[in-house]
Amino acid sequence: GHELLKQERAKSNIAVEKLSEFLFTKKVIERKRRVLEILESEETFDKSQNYFAGRIDRFEIALARAKKLRQLKVKHGWTLKEFRAAGELISEPGPYGLHESMFLITLHDQGTPEQHEIFLKKAENYEIIGCYAQTELGHGSNVRGLETTATWNSGDKTFTIHSPHLTASKWWIGSLGLTANYAVVMAQLIIDGKPYGPHPFVVQIRDLETHEPLENVHVGDIGPKFGYNTMDNGFLLFNKVKIPHVNMLAKFSRVDPNTNKYVRPSSPSLVYGTLTWVRSTIVLQAGGVLARGVTIATRYCAIRRQFQDRDAQEWERGENQVLNYTMVQIRLLPLLAATFALHFTGQSMMQLYQESQMKMSRDAGKAGSAQRGAGPEETHSGSDLLADLHATSCGLKSLASSIAAEGLEVCRRACGGHGYSSFSGIGPWYADYLPTTTWEGDNYMLTQQVARYLLKSARSVLKGEMPTNDTTHILSNYLSRADMGAAFDVIGKDEDLVAAFAWRTAYLTFEASKHRDEQKKAWNDLLVDFYRLSKAHSQYLIVKNFYEVLRSSSTTNELDPETLALMHKLFRLYALNTLEQESSEFYTSGATTVRQIVLARTNTVMKLLKEIRPHAVRLVDAWDFPDWQLDSSLGRYDGRVYEDMFHRASELNPLNAITVDPYPDSGVTFKKDESREFKSKL
Amino acid sequence: GHELLKQERAKSNIAVEKLSEFLFTKKVIERKRRVLEILESEETFDKSQNYFAGRIDRFEIALARAKKLRQLKVKHGWTLKEFRAAGELISEPGPYGLHESMFLITLHDQGTPEQHEIFLKKAENYEIIGCYAQTELGHGSNVRGLETTATWNSGDKTFTIHSPHLTASKWWIGSLGLTANYAVVMAQLIIDGKPYGPHPFVVQIRDLETHEPLENVHVGDIGPKFGYNTMDNGFLLFNKVKIPHVNMLAKFSRVDPNTNKYVRPSSPSLVYGTLTWVRSTIVLQAGGVLARGVTIATRYCAIRRQFQDRDAQEWERGENQVLNYTMVQIRLLPLLAATFALHFTGQSMMQLYQESQMKMSRDAGKAGSAQRGAGPEETHSGSDLLADLHATSCGLKSLASSIAAEGLEVCRRACGGHGYSSFSGIGPWYADYLPTTTWEGDNYMLTQQVARYLLKSARSVLKGEMPTNDTTHILSNYLSRADMGAAFDVIGKDEDLVAAFAWRTAYLTFEASKHRDEQKKAWNDLLVDFYRLSKAHSQYLIVKNFYEVLRSSSTTNELDPETLALMHKLFRLYALNTLEQESSEFYTSGATTVRQIVLARTNTVMKLLKEIRPHAVRLVDAWDFPDWQLDSSLGRYDGRVYEDMFHRASELNPLNAITVDPYPDSGVTFKKDESREFKSKL
Ligand SMILES: Cc1cc2nc3c(=O)[nH]c(=O)nc-3n(C[C@H](O)[C@H](O)[C@H](O)COP(=O)(O)OP(=O)(O)OC[C@H]3O[C@@H](n4cnc5c(N)ncnc54)[C@H](O)[C@@H]3O)c2cc1C
Ligand SMILES: Cc1cc2nc3c(=O)[nH]c(=O)nc-3n(C[C@H](O)[C@H](O)[C@H](O)COP(=O)(O)OP(=O)(O)OC[C@H]3O[C@@H](n4cnc5c(N)ncnc54)[C@H](O)[C@@H]3O)c2cc1C
């Protein structure tokens, strides 16, 4: 293995370090190295038993790590960025996860200065540990349907938090199962018998001393999951628990304790922003998430040899690296291209988001409404730019997390049998990542938001309004050229390739608009078309972003010509492979001809695979994952795959400290069990 | 939940029981019930802690179950079929798994009568427990590349089994890690310095009394996996271990102890048969494997409500069952159709296999060669029928197991957040099933075998030879009509739909033949095309089988007209949805027009979803999975989903017997840990 990776690296001239710096900046890379050094020296973070431990042990270790991490933050005076970098290196969800994200964010964003004083400060000091309790057993996506109630008692100026049915039980709440003693609880505000929709309340749930649940609070862990087992997702039922007035987070809407009246929020645009930020983060991370799998599979497939090439000459002795088989390449290299495509798209999204936040902060005073995770059928108001950004983030969150999750499984399977071992490092990572396709907006449902936005844009363009952003621009461009036809040179010209993706989106948008606005088809009958539309639009955005990043002067300045040329090939591979997979939409829309698609498939894509192949290992090297982070036998930087597999199996595996009685008639299962001693020895 | 499923069942007239009997026969269903009753009454098989236990506990329980199952077999005088039915109901891989399958089969099929006496009898009585050790750390698919050697010692008439390198270590071997004391070891036979390829040897590896590894044998468990953790897959290294001459399984080839000469096998066709049988079994099971996921998701989506329909009238109060959303339907209903399609295809394959076995038994004498799992680039000889069956089984194994594995994840995700809980029952099942895509021929590599066969068939047709089987028939039919064009009425006529699939296969076959035989393209450059070709051919076979089963007189006699009509709709949904997904191949081949594809997508498929929707719950009921088997909160027959989720989380979950110290500055993680007491209380 060792020699083969050396050879691979010698075969390519890609300036790995330069490329890494271009992707992440030097500063970020150095920060990672610095933090890594500290983590590696702490025994608490030793990963060697991660894959062996059962749920209870894993949770206990994760809790110990969460504590240690907080201690290190204090000790080294880490910034938030350093703290986050540590979390990424450790790469497992931990029991403080929701405390450190949604609990703090919600207190911060939705609390008044008085509430910051009472709750936020303590939370920041870990004197109270919280979580974000929105989802219930019976309701997730449909936040409006939540059943937990918060009834205003005008008499003693309190709220009564109550779970009227079993299905009102909070469920899935991260950090709640065993860890949190506080929760932000989303509950239906009821004043004088009248419901005002879900609002956030701060509720203590466990004793700060004994950590036992408070009276009338039924709380616990919801049990094992496909992944995420280092996290204590929890359930929570209230039996008429009273909380004071100040516990309703009141930055946007509140109950006036004197008049007992509900005070409405003025505008929901700020909350809108948080949602967009969370989704943009998912898009940005998707590239890196997938890159872990691609790194592991690419390195392994470069050292794995199996069979001789069928057409090999007699003098070409020895087995072929499986990465040389085109059927392996077609699975891995487009995903390699996708890692960069997603990374650049995420960066652009974040930039757009920050720009829009600057704009927004001007009208910060008017911000409002506290709901999070609104359903796909609700309409948000907001400026044009924001609406575009919101829709973009929905579509891209959906597409990017699907590409990453499904791509990881492709990587795992590309490793053959060994991909199935936990030591591959792909399976456990995949299992932990998978819920990203469901939370922060289920990937299927989010597409309705995108469609709604595109339909609105189409209406505006059809009315003859001037284009105000890229979306309306591509729609009106399509309208003006539709009769003429497209005639894009998708194989020869990169900008035409982008234009073909735009054309297809526009075509599908107007089709949808015809169905909904002219033919008045039922919304439900169009969901499948909307899903396709959203996917098409998001693919266009990814292709466009990739293209624009490569053209930008900062890129052409930073990257050497060879690396830049290779990046262009990756761009083309990503775009043409996508085009080919979705070919029927491209030719029915007239964006390409059938001939072009056949050519792309049989010639261009195959040629690109050949050209990219020699650089594959160096390209994944540029993602710069330390071995410690990957924790993978197959993905080791040095290629010593088999030695590492064997070491883990024979030296670290506690099952091997057991001797069984193999005969069916004996009631004894384990004749000798030294697995406990074994573990404590390690 | 309860009420909703009742209503669902009331809405449809499908004769569930009849349909079940049609699928499985009354006999099989009664057998299942009988066995189920016994299992349910045995505490060993209590499933309530399955999802909670860690690897060591799970393995120990699985071993206890394996023993108990064997005891029950003896006690009740179970037939092999009853024994297998029990295994299916228990639904977890167990430590005797490989003993009871490949070890016994190999001894039986490849041993001489003398060897049956020495090894098989003891194995059948569980006096020795074995496994099948072929794969090594360095070689899986390429069996010819195995490194373990078996060197003939002409002096003392023994073989020396040896592992010359670390990569020669046997790896992945089921039942080997802790349980087996014997192994069938595939090793390179070497006589007088000359290699004769891999052959099977029976090797004792552990002491029959102490169960400790024998001298010079290094054996153990390979560690945790994505699933399959109730099984002890193992590693095995030999340091020059001597075994007697009789331990080489000698039915087909052997070493003559007197002359020290290798005696060649006459014909490899019997082994060929075992492979085909194993793959046919995978095809047959794929329908049922997928059906578990579809059953769970369909029932859950029928009781899960979320949102009101956007176009709902004011008087239509309440939330919509998510199964009513077309975006849920398009994910689940084609998979529901696929369960039947795969089931019927598997049955047809098995029938063909049995017919061919009858034929074969006539020339049983000539049977030969002991290799199993030959690589994709090797050529087998054999009769036309066999070659067809072999290729068919390769292509269908690949496609069917991919459909089932990937379909299960679609089902899981359709359940939203709750799909991620282990209590959904889908995730753990999926994780255990996943290696089926890799073993018995990696799904990507198998497609090369199909292509090779189709290329051969094309050559024969192009030479003007008369068609001898369905494959050559559809190829020559295509040739004779290609110039004229197809003009199939795929939307109106079922037989035209089948014909369109045949046409596409033929088209792709001749394209491949042009590339390989005329243009002399490299084999490796064609792998991607071969993959598509194999998929196309297998999809054709599934569609054709489904169609033929529905037309057969036994079907039309057994099923009432309503159910039969619905089955036809399922057939059309499966075929048209597949056609639409692969549309570019259909129009480039001229099998359909672009217009037909657009129509299929926007009208026909959507209409079929609507028509099938009311029967969805009854259709999954017909698969007849006992709740005990599914072990799923979401998939319960009675729809009491939330109660069951809650019960498992709050009553069965050992994590809830723990109280943590939540503060980062405290070194204590668990203040109170009663999880052990908790578990023993259960
Ligand atoms: C690991 C994990 C951690 C979590 N952590 C938290 C947490 O800390 N705090 C918290 O509050 N929540 C948390 N959640 C909950 C998560 O936010 C929800 O599971 C998610 O929002 C999906 O909602 P649901 O489960 O209700 O799906 P459902 O809405 O029930 O979806 C079920 C199915 O119906 C479909 N569907 C539903 N409505 C429609 C529609 N209108 N049109 C078309 N199709 C539709 C969906 O596509 C899906 O296939 C977590 C979940 C997981 C898995
Ligand atoms: C859970 C489990 C249980 C198992 N149990 C047993 C057992 O009991 N006994 C036993 O002997 N074995 C067992 N195996 C091993 C199994 O049979 C092998 O893993 C399987 O044959 C795949 O081989 P491989 O791992 O060498 O894959 P590889 O051949 O290394 O494949 C790696 C990658 O290369 C590709 N590739 C390889 N060659 C080519 C080619 N010529 N052309 C194109 N692509 C190629 C593959 O598609 C794959 O993507 C088990 C495996 C698992 C996961």
Side-chain angles (χ1 to χ4, degrees):
Chain A
H2 192 54
E3 284 310 308
L4 280 170
L5 282 193
K6 255 199 199 151
Q7 283 166 32
E8 286 288 329
R9 291 184 178 116
K11 264 193 316 200
S12 162
N13 278 326
I14 296 303
V16 171
E17 222 167 293
K18 262 282 190 51
L19 183 53
S20 297
E21 285 170 16
F22 172 68
L23 293 172
F24 309 109
T25 76
K26 204 178 181 113
K27 202 173 117 192
V28 170
I29 293 173
E30 283 171 358
R31 181 196 298 149
K32 178 169 67 178
R33 300 249 182 286
R34 215 164 48 234
V35 171
L36 176 62
E37 214 174 301
I38 296 174
L39 296 178
E40 279 185 311
S41 71
E42 293 281 348
E43 224 185 308
T44 320
F45 299 111
D46 170 46
K47 294 188 177 187
S48 65
Q49 281 295 303
N50 275 6
Y51 297 137
F52 299 101
R55 173 121 205 265
I56 293 180
D57 288 345
R58 287 212 71 191
F59 175 76
E60 182 167 20
I61 297 164
L63 180 60
R65 286 174 184 167
K67 291 183 176 199
K68 177 59 98 185
L69 205 57
R70 162 69 189 171
Q71 291 163 17
L72 289 177
K73 181 168 187 289
V74 173
K75 176 172 163 192
H76 297 285
W78 276 347
T79 62
L80 190 60
K81 280 180 179 163
E82 284 166 315
F83 187 63
R84 293 246 163 91
E88 268 184 38
L89 289 166
I90 294 169
S91 296
E92 75 183 14
Y96 288 162
L98 274 285
H99 172 79
E100 285 160 353
S101 56
M102 282 305 294
F103 187 62
L104 290 178
I105 290 169
T106 311
L107 291 179
H108 180 273
D109 289 358
Q110 309 201 23
T112 59
E114 182 197 358
Q115 292 173 324
H116 286 176
E117 204 57 40
I118 306 179
F119 303 116
L120 183 59
K121 275 204 173 158
K122 283 192 190 143
E124 283 172 341
N125 291 327
Y126 291 71
E127 291 164 41
I128 63 177
I129 314 284
C131 60
Y132 182 83
Q134 176 172 299
T135 303
E136 296 174 356
L137 195 46
H139 287 88
S141 350
N142 184 13
V143 179
R144 293 231 187 125
L146 293 178
E147 296 174 272
T148 305
T149 52
T151 309
W152 173 245
N153 308 307
S154 51
D156 60 1
K157 309 292 170 195
T158 59
F159 298 96
T160 300
I161 308 287
H162 186 58
S163 318
H165 314 284
L166 181 67
T167 47
S169 174
K170 294 295 172 187
W171 203 268
W172 278 116
I173 313 308
S175 305
L176 168 68
L178 296 185
T179 311
N181 45 31
Y182 266 76
V184 166
V185 174
M186 290 298 280
Q188 298 283 356
L189 172 64
I190 296 176
I191 308 174
D192 210 7
K194 200 177 152 220
Y196 288 83
H199 288 76
F201 298 84
V202 181
V203 189
Q204 185 179 346
I205 51 173
R206 287 188 172 97
D207 186 89
L208 298 189
E209 277 292 318
T210 65
H211 204 63
E212 295 296 333
L214 297 185
E215 220 187 323
N216 293 316
V217 170
H218 187 40
V219 58
D221 176 271
I222 63 165
K225 294 147 292 188
F226 195 63
Y228 237 73
N229 284 310
T230 44
M231 170 66 94
D232 53 326
N233 294 89
F235 64 81
L236 177 60
L237 277 167
F238 296 102
N239 182 21
K240 302 200 176 134
V241 170
K242 276 203 176 182
I243 56 170
H245 174 263
V246 72
N247 284 31
M248 173 173 174
L249 289 178
K251 180 144 167 205
F252 299 124
S253 42
R254 57 197 189 86
V255 178
D256 185 318
N258 302 315
T259 63
N260 301 313
K261 287 261 148 58
Y262 179 66
V263 184
R264 282 194 183 287
S266 48
S267 136
S269 45
L270 233 185
V271 170
Y272 210 67
T274 311
L275 270 173
T276 305
W277 179 78
V278 172
R279 291 189 186 127
S280 304
T281 310
I282 293 178
V283 178
L284 182 60
Q285 287 169 343
V289 165
L290 177 58
R292 279 174 79 136
V294 174
T295 300
I296 294 169
T298 302
R299 286 181 183 157
Y300 176 63
C301 286
I303 74 101
R304 181 70 169 178
R305 302 170 185 240
Q306 210 79 191
F307 297 104
Q308 251 187 252
D309 188 310
R310 190 183 167 102
D311 295 318
Q313 302 302 316
E314 274 211 41
W315 43 265
E316 295 178 277
R317 303 271 315 258
E319 288 184 297
N320 209 350
Q321 293 163 284
V322 299
L323 191 55
N324 290 339
Y325 293 115
T326 55
M327 194 58 220
V328 173
Q329 292 168 12
I330 194 77
R331 289 181 277 156
L332 291 183
L333 300 186
L335 289 178
L336 175 58
T339 63
F340 295 106
L342 292 174
H343 184 73
F344 295 138
T345 304
Q347 285 184 326
S348 309
M349 287 272 315
M350 275 297 177
Q351 217 167 308
L352 271 183
Y353 171 75
Q354 265 136 19
E355 282 164 23
S356 82
Q357 281 306 93
M358 310 243 284
K359 258 193 175 169
M360 292 246 312
S361 62
R362 281 171 232 154
D363 12 61
K366 307 177 223 145
S369 168
Q371 280 102 308
R372 198 176 149 268
E377 302 176 23
E378 296 170 39
T379 314
H380 291 285
S381 60
S383 83
D384 243 34
L385 177 68
L386 268 179
D388 193 57
L389 194 59
H390 169 74
T392 302
S393 77
C394 288
L396 283 172
K397 182 275 175 181
S398 170
L399 181 61
S401 60
S402 291
I403 290 176
E406 285 152 24
L408 285 174
E409 167 59 14
V410 172
C411 293
R412 196 196 59 72
R413 230 180 274 178
C415 299
H418 293 333
Y420 193 66
S421 166
S422 300
F423 306 151
S424 78
I426 306 179
W429 178 243
Y430 167 79
D432 281 350
Y433 183 70
L434 212 45
T436 313
T437 63
T438 303
W439 67 35
E440 301 305 339
D442 169 86
N443 280 2
Y444 302 98
M445 289 166 55
L446 279 179
T447 62
Q448 296 183 42
Q449 306 240 22
V450 182
R452 198 170 39 71
Y453 169 72
L454 290 175
L455 284 176
K456 219 174 106 197
S457 303
R459 275 174 220 130
S460 138
V461 170
L462 288 170
K463 266 192 270 172
E465 289 169 10
M466 285 295 290
T468 54
N469 56 26
D470 185 65
T471 306
T472 39
H473 191 79
I474 63 169
L475 292 181
S476 66
N477 183 48
Y478 171 84
L479 272 196
S480 68
R481 285 183 56 182
D483 293 338
M484 233 178 313
F488 297 123
D489 181 10
V490 289
I491 290 182
K493 283 203 207 124
D494 289 356
E495 73 253 45
D496 276 25
L497 198 43
V498 178
F501 275 83
W503 182 279
R504 161 186 173 232
T505 298
Y507 168 84
L508 291 175
T509 303
F510 288 116
E511 285 289 299
S513 146
K514 211 181 336 177
H515 292 146
R516 180 68 179 166
D517 293 344
E518 284 179 33
Q519 301 168 5
K520 308 287 179 201
K521 280 204 188 181
W523 185 262
N524 187 24
D525 288 345
L526 292 170
L527 297 185
V528 181
D529 287 346
F530 290 165
Y531 177 79
R532 291 163 173 279
L533 172 58
S534 171
K535 193 170 174 195
H537 181 57
S538 306
Q539 286 172 337
Y540 156 66
L541 291 173
I542 294 179
V543 165
K544 184 183 74 140
N545 275 304
F546 201 164
Y547 175 67
E548 283 176 358
V549 166
L550 294 188
R551 272 206 328 172
S552 77
S553 57
S554 71
T555 309
T556 47
N557 289 340
E558 275 192 62
L559 291 181
D560 61 293
E562 217 174 320
T563 307
L564 188 63
L566 189 62
M567 291 310 266
H568 270 283
K569 285 182 185 158
L570 288 166
F571 159 75
R572 281 151 58 71
L573 178 62
Y574 180 76
L576 288 172
N577 189 60
T578 304
L579 183 149
E580 196 265 301
Q581 275 170 2
E582 313 283 349
S583 54
S584 76
E585 288 176 9
F586 280 91
Y587 70 76
T588 41
S589 69
T592 66
T593 62
V594 170
R595 178 91 193 115
Q596 284 174 310
I597 291 165
V598 173
L599 268 181
R601 185 178 81 208
T602 51
N603 289 352
T604 323
V605 167
M606 297 309 287
K607 206 165 142 257
L608 286 166
L609 294 179
K610 268 208 176 110
E611 292 171 353
I612 294 168
R613 159 68 188 92
H615 308 285
V617 169
R618 276 189 174 248
L619 283 170
V620 302
D621 285 350
W623 274 95
D624 193 47
F625 291 109
D627 278 350
W628 194 83
Q629 183 175 10
L630 294 181
D631 196 14
S632 162
S633 296
L634 306 187
R636 286 174 68 96
Y637 184 86
D638 67 5
R640 295 192 198 277
V641 166
Y642 299 121
E643 296 87 333
D644 196 54
M645 295 270 282
F646 200 86
H647 170 72
R648 294 189 193 230
S650 70
E651 303 301 317
L652 303 179
N653 183 359
L655 205 60
N656 286 324
I658 285 165
T659 306
V660 310
D661 178 322
Y663 302 111
D665 295 331
S666 141
V668 178
T669 45
F670 292 174
K671 289 166 85 133
K672 206 168 74 190
D673 179 358
E674 296 171 355
S675 59
R676 279 185 216 299
E677 296 86 308
F678 176 91
K679 269 191 273 179
S680 55
K681 227 177 37 198
L682 283 169
Chain B
H2 192 54
E3 284 309 310
L4 281 169
L5 281 193
K6 257 200 197 150
Q7 283 166 30
E8 287 288 330
R9 291 184 178 115
K11 266 193 315 200
S12 161
N13 279 325
I14 296 303
V16 172
E17 222 167 293
K18 262 284 191 47
L19 182 53
S20 297
E21 286 170 15
F22 171 69
L23 293 172
F24 309 108
T25 77
K26 204 177 180 115
K27 205 172 114 192
V28 170
I29 293 173
E30 283 171 359
R31 181 196 297 148
K32 178 169 66 180
R33 299 247 182 288
R34 215 165 49 233
V35 170
L36 177 62
E37 213 174 301
I38 296 174
L39 296 179
E40 280 185 311
S41 71
E42 293 280 350
E43 223 185 310
T44 319
F45 299 110
D46 170 46
K47 294 187 177 188
S48 65
Q49 282 294 303
N50 275 5
Y51 296 138
F52 300 100
R55 172 122 205 264
I56 293 179
D57 288 345
R58 288 212 69 190
F59 175 75
E60 182 167 21
I61 298 164
L63 180 59
R65 287 175 184 166
K67 291 182 176 200
K68 177 60 97 183
L69 204 58
R70 162 69 188 171
Q71 292 163 17
L72 289 177
K73 181 168 188 287
V74 174
K75 177 174 162 191
H76 297 283
W78 276 347
T79 62
L80 190 60
K81 280 179 179 163
E82 285 166 314
F83 187 64
R84 293 247 163 91
E88 269 184 37
L89 288 166
I90 294 169
S91 296
E92 74 183 16
Y96 288 162
L98 273 284
H99 172 80
E100 285 160 353
S101 56
M102 282 306 293
F103 187 62
L104 290 178
I105 289 169
T106 311
L107 291 180
H108 180 273
D109 288 358
Q110 309 200 23
T112 60
E114 182 198 358
Q115 291 173 324
H116 287 177
E117 205 56 40
I118 307 179
F119 303 116
L120 183 59
K121 276 205 175 157
K122 283 191 191 143
E124 282 171 342
N125 291 327
Y126 292 70
E127 291 163 42
I128 62 177
I129 313 285
C131 61
Y132 183 82
Q134 177 171 300
T135 303
E136 297 173 356
L137 194 45
H139 287 88
S141 351
N142 185 14
V143 179
R144 293 233 186 124
L146 293 178
E147 296 173 272
T148 306
T149 52
T151 309
W152 173 245
N153 309 308
S154 51
D156 60 1
K157 310 293 170 194
T158 60
F159 297 96
T160 299
I161 308 287
H162 186 58
S163 317
H165 315 282
L166 181 67
T167 47
S169 175
K170 294 295 172 186
W171 203 268
W172 279 115
I173 312 309
S175 305
L176 168 69
L178 296 184
T179 312
N181 45 30
Y182 264 77
V184 166
V185 174
M186 291 297 281
Q188 298 282 357
L189 172 63
I190 297 175
I191 308 174
D192 210 6
K194 201 179 150 216
Y196 288 83
H199 287 76
F201 298 84
V202 182
V203 189
Q204 185 179 346
I205 52 172
R206 287 188 172 97
D207 186 88
L208 298 189
E209 278 293 318
T210 65
H211 203 62
E212 295 297 333
L214 297 186
E215 219 188 324
N216 292 317
V217 170
H218 187 39
V219 59
D221 176 90
I222 63 164
K225 295 147 290 188
F226 194 65
Y228 238 73
N229 284 310
T230 44
M231 170 66 95
D232 53 325
N233 294 90
F235 64 81
L236 178 60
L237 277 166
F238 296 102
N239 181 22
K240 302 200 176 136
V241 170
K242 275 203 177 184
I243 56 170
H245 175 264
V246 73
N247 283 31
M248 173 175 175
L249 290 178
K251 181 145 165 203
F252 300 125
S253 43
R254 56 195 189 87
V255 178
D256 186 317
N258 302 315
T259 63
N260 301 313
K261 287 261 149 58
Y262 180 64
V263 184
R264 279 191 187 288
S266 48
S267 135
S269 44
L270 234 185
V271 170
Y272 211 66
T274 310
L275 268 173
T276 304
W277 178 80
V278 172
R279 290 188 187 129
S280 304
T281 310
I282 292 178
V283 179
L284 183 60
Q285 287 169 344
V289 165
L290 178 57
R292 280 175 78 135
V294 175
T295 299
I296 293 169
T298 301
R299 286 182 183 157
Y300 175 63
C301 287
I303 74 102
R304 181 71 170 177
R305 302 169 184 242
Q306 211 78 193
F307 298 104
Q308 250 187 251
D309 189 309
R310 190 183 168 101
D311 295 319
Q313 302 302 316
E314 273 210 42
W315 45 264
E316 294 178 276
R317 304 270 316 259
E319 289 185 297
N320 209 352
Q321 294 163 285
V322 299
L323 192 54
N324 290 339
Y325 294 114
T326 54
M327 194 59 220
V328 172
Q329 291 168 11
I330 194 77
R331 289 182 276 156
L332 291 183
L333 300 185
L335 289 178
L336 175 58
T339 63
F340 295 107
L342 292 174
H343 185 74
F344 294 138
T345 304
Q347 286 184 325
S348 308
M349 288 272 316
M350 275 297 176
Q351 217 167 308
L352 271 183
Y353 171 75
Q354 264 136 22
E355 281 163 25
S356 82
Q357 282 306 93
M358 308 242 284
K359 256 193 177 169
M360 292 244 314
S361 62
R362 281 172 232 153
D363 14 60
K366 305 178 223 145
S369 168
Q371 280 103 309
R372 199 177 148 265
E377 303 175 23
E378 296 171 39
T379 313
H380 291 285
S381 60
S383 83
D384 244 34
L385 178 67
L386 268 180
D388 194 57
L389 194 58
H390 168 74
T392 303
S393 76
C394 289
L396 282 172
K397 182 274 175 182
S398 170
L399 181 61
S401 60
S402 291
I403 290 176
E406 285 153 24
L408 285 174
E409 168 59 14
V410 172
C411 294
R412 196 196 59 71
R413 230 181 273 179
C415 299
H418 293 334
Y420 194 66
S421 166
S422 300
F423 306 151
S424 78
I426 305 178
W429 178 242
Y430 167 79
D432 281 350
Y433 183 70
L434 212 45
T436 313
T437 63
T438 303
W439 65 35
E440 300 307 337
D442 169 85
N443 280 2
Y444 302 97
M445 288 166 56
L446 279 179
T447 62
Q448 296 182 43
Q449 306 241 21
V450 183
R452 197 170 39 73
Y453 169 71
L454 289 175
L455 284 176
K456 219 174 107 198
S457 303
R459 276 174 219 131
S460 138
V461 170
L462 287 170
K463 266 192 269 169
E465 289 169 10
M466 285 294 290
T468 55
N469 56 25
D470 184 66
T471 306
T472 39
H473 191 79
I474 63 169
L475 292 180
S476 67
N477 183 48
Y478 170 85
L479 272 196
S480 68
R481 285 183 57 182
D483 293 338
M484 232 179 312
F488 297 123
D489 180 10
V490 288
I491 289 180
K493 284 204 207 122
D494 289 356
E495 73 253 43
D496 276 26
L497 198 43
V498 178
F501 275 84
W503 183 278
R504 161 186 173 234
T505 299
Y507 168 85
L508 291 175
T509 304
F510 289 116
E511 285 289 297
S513 145
K514 211 181 337 176
H515 292 145
R516 180 68 180 168
D517 293 345
E518 283 178 33
Q519 300 167 5
K520 308 286 180 203
K521 280 204 188 181
W523 185 261
N524 187 24
D525 288 344
L526 292 170
L527 297 185
V528 181
D529 287 346
F530 290 164
Y531 178 79
R532 292 164 172 278
L533 172 58
S534 170
K535 194 171 173 194
H537 181 57
S538 305
Q539 286 172 337
Y540 156 67
L541 291 173
I542 294 179
V543 165
K544 184 183 75 143
N545 275 304
F546 200 164
Y547 174 68
E548 282 175 359
V549 166
L550 294 188
R551 273 206 327 173
S552 77
S553 56
S554 71
T555 309
T556 49
N557 289 340
E558 275 191 62
L559 291 180
D560 61 293
E562 219 175 319
T563 307
L564 188 63
L566 190 61
M567 291 310 267
H568 271 282
K569 285 182 185 158
L570 288 165
F571 159 75
R572 281 150 58 71
L573 178 61
Y574 180 77
L576 287 171
N577 188 61
T578 304
L579 183 148
E580 196 266 300
Q581 276 170 2
E582 312 283 349
S583 53
S584 76
E585 288 175 10
F586 280 90
Y587 70 77
T588 42
S589 71
T592 66
T593 62
V594 170
R595 178 92 194 117
Q596 284 173 309
I597 291 165
V598 173
L599 268 181
R601 185 178 81 208
T602 53
N603 290 352
T604 324
V605 167
M606 297 309 287
K607 207 166 141 255
L608 286 167
L609 294 179
K610 266 207 179 113
E611 292 171 353
I612 294 167
R613 159 68 188 91
H615 308 284
V617 169
R618 276 190 174 249
L619 282 170
V620 302
D621 285 350
W623 273 95
D624 193 48
F625 291 108
D627 278 350
W628 194 83
Q629 184 176 11
L630 293 182
D631 195 14
S632 162
S633 296
L634 306 187
R636 286 173 67 96
Y637 184 85
D638 67 6
R640 295 193 198 277
V641 167
Y642 299 121
E643 297 86 332
D644 197 54
M645 294 270 283
F646 201 86
H647 170 73
R648 293 189 193 231
S650 68
E651 305 301 317
L652 302 180
N653 183 359
L655 205 59
N656 286 325
I658 285 165
T659 306
V660 310
D661 178 321
Y663 303 112
D665 294 331
S666 142
V668 178
T669 46
F670 292 174
K671 289 167 86 136
K672 206 169 75 189
D673 179 358
E674 295 171 356
S675 60
R676 278 184 216 301
E677 296 85 311
F678 176 90
K679 270 191 273 180
S680 56
K681 226 176 37 195
L682 282 169

